[in-house]
Amino acid sequence: MSEKTLYELSRPGRTATSLPPLDVPEAPLPEEWMRDDLPLPEISEVDLVRHYMRLSQLNHAVDIGFYPLGSCTMKYNPKVNEEAAALPGFVRTHPLQPQETVQGNLQLMWELQKMLAEIGGFDAVSLQPAAGAQGEFAGILIMRSHHRERGQAHRDKILIPDSAHGTNPASTTMSGYRVVQLPSDERGNVDLEALRAQCDDTVAGLMLTNPNTLGLFDEHVEEVCRLVHQCGGLVYGDGANLNALMGVAKPGHLGFDIMHFNLHKTFSTPHGGGGPGSGPVGVRRDLAAHLPGPIVVREGDRYRLEMPEKSIGRVKSFYGNFAVMVKALTYIRMLGEEGLRDVSVTAVLAANYLQERLKKTYPLPYDRRCMHEFVLEGRIPGAPDVRALDVSKRLIDYGFHPPTNYFPLIVREALMIEPTETESRETLDAFAEAMETIAEEARSQPGLLHQAPHRAPVRRLDEVRAARELRLRWEH
């Protein structure tokens, strides 16, 4: 890459900061902490600013162009959310302040709890979990607490479809349960016969993403929930794909007992690069006592924190990621009930528009009306040596971020495409035209795809070496 590191830009004696005069007594560092060979870069303020500006312009971002990874990674986030989260009253709150001095913050959390419960069709919500995977983990611990309370500790297996997110088996294993995988049927639903065969008194629960990672609404979801309940298990909803359901269907009304919300996905907080996120958990009434805490309760016009009676405990320091909660509440209140429904309906319409056009060029393994996303095979008839990775790398040359590659695992050479609700008809058409052009190139000039990207700051990287030969520090 052409951009030099700060160490390469460093020149002795230059500095970007100047410290104010001491207003406290000087306290020298202990002698054993002192050293003369601290190799920190020395750089002026203007060179520092230009360095980071150049780096920022090398990145593709949702504010620059289309990002077909969708809500899974980066849907468009209205800037008003950032303004709300940056209000001084929120930014300057200390988590150890007495509750009577942060009534506004507690009111915000209480309102968000109520709104999420309404959107999901649940009776109670905890805002504690800091991310979706932690919400899953908390949800499975709630299941375990529920079964133990009822003297059902022998239940030891969680059923998980083969189209599930990878975090589902991880959360299950961390909770001490064993995973039993269920196959999908030919239409991408949970295979009911396979489910019936597993429904016995060892089932603790089932984890189901709906719509699933194929972008398909399970056509038998109510029967799936009934079968699990019939054998004494609970149904956990992976709420990662709620962007397709808001105002249209409530998971709690479909039969789900527990579900996490991804505030950073569905309710728009930037989270590329690892966070921060927020994964509140919603439950039906008889599971509320097991929620992680504290949660906010209202008494008259006052608000206070309370630990649920049989809580699984804290899963996050203090009260969760508060700034993400501010952004989520802002998003929900700005849109309102009708606006949230429009988000989901438009996201589904955009995905179906692209699916109908691209299935003429790329194989579509489950040819059904999709929800917010769909999964193509990155294999192109007439171009046997071209893979999904080649298609994605070539998309970079056309100014688009690649879609999700090789997931879900049940689709060969998978390309998962989620356009979301904010992209225009012109943007969707431009993306489709790029995909169609790439398919033509794959047949006539496959080498062009194998060497892509050609117009990015860096060319094709060796992903195996990048994963196995980590260089995480600069060396002379």
Side-chain angles (χ1 to χ4, degrees):
M1 193 163 68
S2 59
E3 180 62 28
K4 295 180 178 178
T5 67
L6 288 180
Y7 288 97
E8 292 168 315
L9 294 171
S10 176
R11 296 293 182 274
R14 293 182 184 172
T15 179
T17 62
S18 55
L19 299 176
L22 274 179
D23 59 357
V24 295
E26 186 172 339
L29 287 172
E31 191 65 31
E32 64 271 22
W33 292 4
M34 301 293 287
R35 58 177 174 160
D36 297 323
D37 61 340
L38 191 62
L40 294 176
E42 298 175 75
I43 189 167
S44 67
E45 179 178 321
V46 66
D47 287 341
L48 186 69
V49 169
R50 288 171 179 167
H51 169 73
Y52 283 112
M53 282 302 296
R54 287 192 294 268
L55 285 181
S56 71
Q57 291 168 349
L58 293 176
N59 270 333
H60 189 89
V62 73
D63 288 346
I64 294 175
F66 182 38
Y67 222 95
L69 290 168
S71 68
C72 279
T73 299
M74 189 62 73
K75 81 172 188 178
Y76 178 72
N77 304 284
K79 302 304 177 253
V80 66
N81 299 350
E82 302 299 322
E83 293 181 20
L87 289 172
F90 294 137
V91 172
R92 295 173 186 167
T93 304
H94 194 283
L96 291 178
Q97 277 185 233
Q99 293 181 34
E100 57 269 25
T101 69
V102 290
Q103 284 294 301
N105 300 48
L106 295 179
Q107 180 180 350
L108 182 147
M109 294 170 69
W110 183 81
E111 289 184 7
L112 184 58
Q113 288 174 186
K114 294 296 181 188
M115 289 181 181
L116 292 177
E118 177 65 25
I119 291 168
F122 294 103
D123 296 305
V125 167
S126 168
L127 303 175
Q128 265 259 307
Q134 198 183 34
E136 284 179 26
F137 181 57
I140 301 301
L141 292 183
I142 291 170
M143 263 190 204
R144 190 176 68 177
S145 180
H146 165 79
H147 289 309
R148 288 181 175 179
E149 180 191 32
R150 295 160 57 89
Q152 301 269 307
H154 65 279
R155 294 181 179 273
D156 67 346
K157 69 181 180 186
I158 301 286
L159 310 177
I160 301 179
D162 58 6
S163 61
H165 290 106
T167 48
N168 290 182
S171 299
T172 296
T173 303
M174 287 175 63
S175 304
Y177 285 117
R178 61 187 173 96
V179 175
V180 175
Q181 189 178 82
L182 298 175
S184 301
D185 66 17
E186 68 280 1
R187 290 181 57 78
N189 304 306
V190 172
D191 186 308
L192 288 179
E193 288 307 310
L195 173 61
R196 287 192 183 97
Q198 290 293 337
C199 282
D200 55 30
D201 67 356
T202 67
V203 170
L206 173 141
M207 299 183 81
L208 183 64
T209 309
N210 192 41
N212 63 19
T213 59
L214 296 167
L216 302 175
F217 192 92
D218 197 298
E219 296 165 307
H220 313 297
V221 61
E222 291 177 303
E223 176 67 2
V224 168
C225 294
R226 190 188 68 80
L227 288 170
V228 175
H229 290 154
Q230 197 172 45
C231 70
L234 298 176
V235 180
Y236 181 87
D238 180 332
N241 291 340
L242 188 64
N243 207 56
L245 296 183
M246 292 184 296
V248 179
K250 299 184 179 185
H253 294 180
L254 294 173
F256 291 85
D257 305 295
I258 310 168
M259 189 188 83
H260 79 265
F261 302 79
N262 280 351
L263 296 192
H264 48 282
K265 289 180 59 176
T266 314
F267 304 104
S268 84
T269 281
H271 65 290
S278 182
V281 178
V283 296
R284 69 186 197 202
R285 191 174 308 282
D286 62 317
L287 297 170
H290 302 276
L291 281 170
I295 61 173
V296 181
V297 296
R298 180 179 180 179
E299 292 177 341
D301 60 351
R302 308 297 290 173
Y303 302 87
R304 64 178 177 81
L305 294 163
E306 180 180 272
M307 188 63 79
E309 182 186 356
K310 303 166 188 172
S311 175
I312 61 170
R314 287 179 177 271
V315 295
K316 173 77 170 68
S317 59
F318 301 115
Y319 316 114
N321 283 331
F322 182 74
V324 182
M325 299 175 202
V326 176
K327 295 173 193 178
L329 188 71
T330 305
Y331 184 77
I332 293 170
R333 295 192 67 166
M334 288 284 289
L335 286 167
E337 184 176 347
E338 288 300 315
L340 290 177
R341 186 177 187 280
D342 288 345
V343 164
S344 292
V345 170
T346 309
V348 171
L349 177 63
N352 278 282
Y353 179 78
L354 274 183
Q355 178 180 273
E356 286 303 303
R357 180 158 175 179
L358 289 176
K359 76 179 187 181
K360 301 169 186 170
T361 307
Y362 294 83
L364 176 67
Y366 297 93
D367 193 357
R368 286 174 47 189
R369 183 171 295 176
C370 68
M371 297 297 286
H372 63 305
E373 65 190 9
F374 59 101
V375 182
L376 299 171
E377 291 185 9
R379 297 184 298 116
I380 300 166
D385 296 332
V386 170
R387 304 180 59 207
L389 182 67
D390 301 319
V391 174
S392 289
K393 295 296 184 184
R394 185 61 176 149
L395 268 172
I396 296 172
D397 289 332
Y398 286 94
F400 297 107
H401 194 286
T404 300
N405 271 214
Y406 302 115
F407 183 78
L409 301 177
I410 57 175
V411 174
R412 183 180 175 190
E413 295 290 324
L415 289 172
M416 177 197 284
I417 298 170
E418 182 183 356
T420 78
E421 65 279 2
T422 51
E423 300 301 337
S424 67
R425 168 83 178 270
E426 290 76 17
T427 299
L428 299 180
D429 284 338
F431 177 76
E433 287 164 13
M435 290 285 287
E436 290 160 355
T437 301
I438 290 170
E440 293 173 7
E441 292 174 343
R443 287 186 280 267
S444 60
Q445 310 173 68
L448 194 63
L449 274 69
H450 293 149
Q451 300 300 318
H454 300 273
R455 299 170 189 162
V458 293
R459 299 291 300 276
R460 184 75 68 99
L461 301 176
D462 186 329
E463 297 186 8
V464 175
R465 283 188 63 196
R468 294 183 178 177
E469 298 179 20
L470 298 179
R471 291 186 182 181
L472 302 179
R473 55 174 293 188
W474 181 81
E475 297 175 348
H476 291 282

